[in-house]
Amino acid sequence: MTGNITYDAVVEATFNIIKEAETILPEDVVKALETAKENESSDVARSQIEAILKNIEIAGNNSIPLCQDTGILIFYVEIGKELNLDFDLKGAILEATRTATQQVPLRPNAVDPITRSNSSDNTGEGLPDIKYDFVEGNQLKITVAPKGAGSENMSTLKMMNPTELGSIEDLIVETVLNAGGRPCPPVIVGVGIGGSFDKAARLAKSSLLRDVDDMDDDERNVLARINSLGIGPMGLGGDTTALAVHVGRSYCHTASLPVAINIQCWANRHSSVTLGGDE
Amino acid sequence: MEYHLKTPLKEEDVEQLNAGDIVYISGIVLTARDEAHARILEMHEEGHELPFDLEGAAIYHCGPLMQKKEADQGAEEWTVVAAGPTTSDRMSKMTPELLKHYNVRTLIGKGGMNNVAESLKGKCVYLAYTGGCAALAAGSIKKVPKVHWFDLGMPEAVWELEVDEFGPLIVGIDTKSNDLFTSIKEKARESFSKK
């Protein structure tokens, strides 16, 4: 059963979410920035958040990318297990990526890791990064999260000793501290605890998709500690260094404790579409 | 204090600035990031002249998103889609060498720079622009007179951008080695160690 899910429909829907993600910041992130502006005691900090909010408005009104670093594209694809997709799903996502690069437009960011030659269309071996998952039902859900390098480069992964549980929080706070103004704070901090070397990193990244305000007490406490550092928007000082801390967990091997911290700049861009279903 | 400056900048233009001041720039700014820095230094080493003038220049750490349109008689004309600052610290290693050979008067970027304050002393300031504000920045870019070294790729090429009242830019490092980023980070580290 595929309903209206065709190759062309996937290309079109994927193009649309790429464009939306690149030009319109999710409402919850905008609200968090507005609240941060109200609460800032430093003039310089407030001027930085004001510039960010003005930028969000201009980008949205004119349908242009929020940031010139339009990132590399990370896709999360959930495939309903009742679906029988008889077309090249990956090919459709690649085609949408190439079209979006031309038409949104996106900055061509994808390069060979060694020769550094640019593919000029944001694809290449391993890019875009597509994660597939099978879920209940008969729908296809595609989420895109463009990830810029400024914040990505400040991320950390540490294979901790299981007895070091008590220092996870220090590692998170110190990662944000070491990053300073480089990842474009106010940041959102995605944390993955457990799993394996690679799964912790995946958890850290997918945690960034959560609603900004969706935090438990532990996460809020870490957030408060980060904000007490005074790094502030863009590292120029102030009360708002981070907007959220989101932790994802997974069972892990009894002998290991992987911890990954993925930093996201204020432009926490992502957008989703669901195709198919019972219509 | 707030200042409105025009490029090319003179020594006295930047000497008056103090860390924390606000600056708006008009005139030409040149984009340069990792690859362009490397090529500038390489050409200097080999005794070649640069295709652009760095005397009194404003270097913008930026890899813009540009769009080409066909102008009259098949000439190429570029417009800026988005042009926010990139992380300046990647250029920290090459900056002292660059400033030794050329009278660049300001570096514009985001996030601060490590170990460059000494080489900025008496001649150049580091100005911070709000990271990610690419749509906002594009609004103050009036023209794209030239592009150099396009073979490096769109983000790494050197773009001449004609800007009008580009800012607000915060003086991050002044000519007297006052570094806003370092002092804020030192305070943060102190509060982290105390817990």
Side-chain angles (χ1 to χ4, degrees):
Chain A
M1 176 170 168
T2 54
N4 58 359
I5 307 178
T6 61
Y7 179 89
D8 288 344
V10 172
V11 174
E12 192 189 334
T14 306
F15 173 85
N16 288 338
I17 56 168
I18 296 171
K19 182 163 185 175
E20 182 176 282
E22 297 282 5
T23 56
I24 301 167
L25 203 60
E27 195 54 38
D28 59 306
V29 188
V30 179
K31 275 204 183 118
L33 286 164
E34 279 166 351
T35 308
K37 189 186 92 177
E38 298 303 317
N39 296 336
E40 265 299 341
S41 55
S42 138
D43 285 346
V44 169
R46 218 173 311 113
S47 80
Q48 298 303 300
I49 305 179
E50 263 164 22
I52 291 170
L53 289 167
K54 209 156 135 195
N55 180 68
I56 293 167
E57 200 184 319
I58 295 171
N61 287 345
N62 301 299
S63 257
I64 53 177
L66 287 152
C67 178
Q68 81 289 341
D69 184 356
T70 50
I72 53 168
L73 301 184
I74 319 286
F75 288 97
Y76 297 88
V77 180
E78 290 175 21
I79 304 168
K81 66 183 184 188
E82 293 163 31
L83 291 172
N84 176 18
L85 302 177
D86 58 352
F87 60 86
D88 182 5
L89 179 59
K90 182 181 170 185
I93 293 172
L94 285 171
E95 187 180 329
T97 300
R98 293 190 183 105
T99 310
T101 300
Q102 293 273 320
Q103 292 181 13
V104 172
L106 309 181
R107 195 174 69 180
N109 282 335
V111 301
D112 179 285
I114 306 299
T115 67
R116 310 306 289 182
S117 77
N118 196 314
S119 69
S120 77
D121 64 5
N122 281 310
T123 72
E125 196 181 328
L127 276 186
D129 187 13
I130 310 172
K131 300 162 208 297
Y132 302 94
D133 200 5
F134 286 95
V135 297
E136 293 297 322
N138 59 359
Q139 292 183 317
L140 176 71
K141 184 179 178 189
I142 305 172
T143 298
V144 65
K147 189 74 175 74
S151 57
E152 186 80 351
N153 287 348
M154 296 294 113
S155 302
T156 270
L157 186 134
K158 192 169 177 195
M159 303 306 285
M160 295 180 93
N161 191 311
T163 58
E164 291 178 290
L165 258 182
S167 48
I168 292 178
E169 192 183 303
D170 276 356
L171 181 70
I172 301 169
V173 178
E174 202 169 8
T175 298
V176 178
L177 169 60
N178 288 338
R182 286 175 289 184
C184 287
V187 295
I188 289 127
V189 186
V191 183
I193 302 178
S196 52
F197 179 77
D198 53 321
K199 187 158 190 192
R202 276 182 281 146
L203 275 170
K205 179 152 280 168
S206 59
S207 299
L208 298 171
L209 297 173
R210 264 165 55 188
D211 248 36
V212 173
D213 287 325
D214 173 22
M215 279 179 279
D216 64 23
D217 288 346
D218 289 339
E219 291 166 329
R220 282 185 196 281
N221 288 338
V222 183
L223 176 65
R225 217 181 125 192
I226 288 170
N227 283 333
S228 73
L229 296 173
I231 293 165
M234 301 302 149
L236 292 162
D239 306 313
T240 325
T241 306
L243 298 173
V245 174
H246 291 152
V247 182
R249 289 189 199 182
S250 161
Y251 268 48
C252 62
H253 192 292
T254 181
S256 71
L257 176 59
V259 178
I261 298 146
N262 194 208
I263 306 230
Q264 169 62 49
C265 62
W266 62 261
N268 188 14
R269 302 167 283 192
H270 50 93
S271 178
S272 298
V273 65
T274 303
L275 297 171
D278 297 312
E279 72 266 69
Chain B
M1 287 286 282
E2 191 174 302
Y3 296 87
H4 298 258
L5 303 176
K6 264 201 160 70
T7 64
L9 298 163
K10 295 187 209 62
E11 200 175 317
E12 52 266 35
D13 287 334
V14 293
E15 263 181 346
Q16 61 184 339
L17 305 176
N18 292 309
D21 284 345
I22 294 173
V23 178
Y24 290 84
I25 295 230
S26 297
I28 297 288
V29 300
L30 296 163
T31 71
R33 40 190 278 163
D34 313 57
E35 308 266 347
H37 275 70
R39 190 174 285 183
I40 291 171
L41 296 180
E42 214 177 275
M43 286 186 75
H44 181 267
E45 182 98 335
E46 292 164 3
H48 296 301
E49 204 170 311
L50 300 176
F52 40 82
D53 190 5
L54 289 182
E55 183 63 39
I59 285 189
Y60 184 22
H61 299 147
C62 166
L65 169 55
M66 313 290 288
Q67 210 164 26
K68 195 180 350 189
K69 56 177 190 190
E70 292 296 318
D72 292 343
Q73 275 109 33
E76 283 173 0
E77 205 173 288
W78 290 91
T79 52
V80 183
V81 180
T86 194
T87 305
S88 297
D89 196 38
R90 289 201 320 276
M91 271 61 75
S92 289
K93 270 193 189 149
M94 295 178 279
T95 295
E97 190 67 15
L98 176 88
L99 292 177
K100 212 191 279 176
H101 307 303
Y102 302 99
N103 285 322
V104 173
R105 294 292 174 206
T106 182
L107 309 168
I108 306 168
K110 73 163 171 90
M113 298 180 82
N114 279 312
N115 305 317
V116 300
E118 192 57 35
S119 58
L120 295 181
K121 219 170 184 173
K123 72 177 289 188
C124 184
V125 289
Y126 176 75
L127 301 175
Y129 187 59
T130 316
C133 286
L136 187 64
S140 60
I141 299 168
K142 299 303 164 198
K143 257 167 80 181
V144 185
K146 262 183 205 154
V147 56
H148 306 276
W149 301 346
F150 193 67
D151 60 297
L152 296 177
M154 184 190 291
E156 304 284 344
V158 172
W159 296 90
E160 282 190 25
L161 308 175
E162 192 183 316
V163 299
D164 182 36
E165 292 287 310
F166 178 38
L169 307 161
I170 311 285
V171 180
I173 310 172
D174 63 25
T175 56
K176 290 137 281 194
S177 298
N178 297 309
D179 183 344
L180 203 55
F181 291 93
T182 306
S183 57
I184 284 160
K185 222 166 170 180
E186 271 166 14
K187 266 187 244 159
R189 188 157 294 285
E190 232 169 78
S191 107
F192 174 73
S193 328
K194 271 191 228 143
K195 259 208 259 191

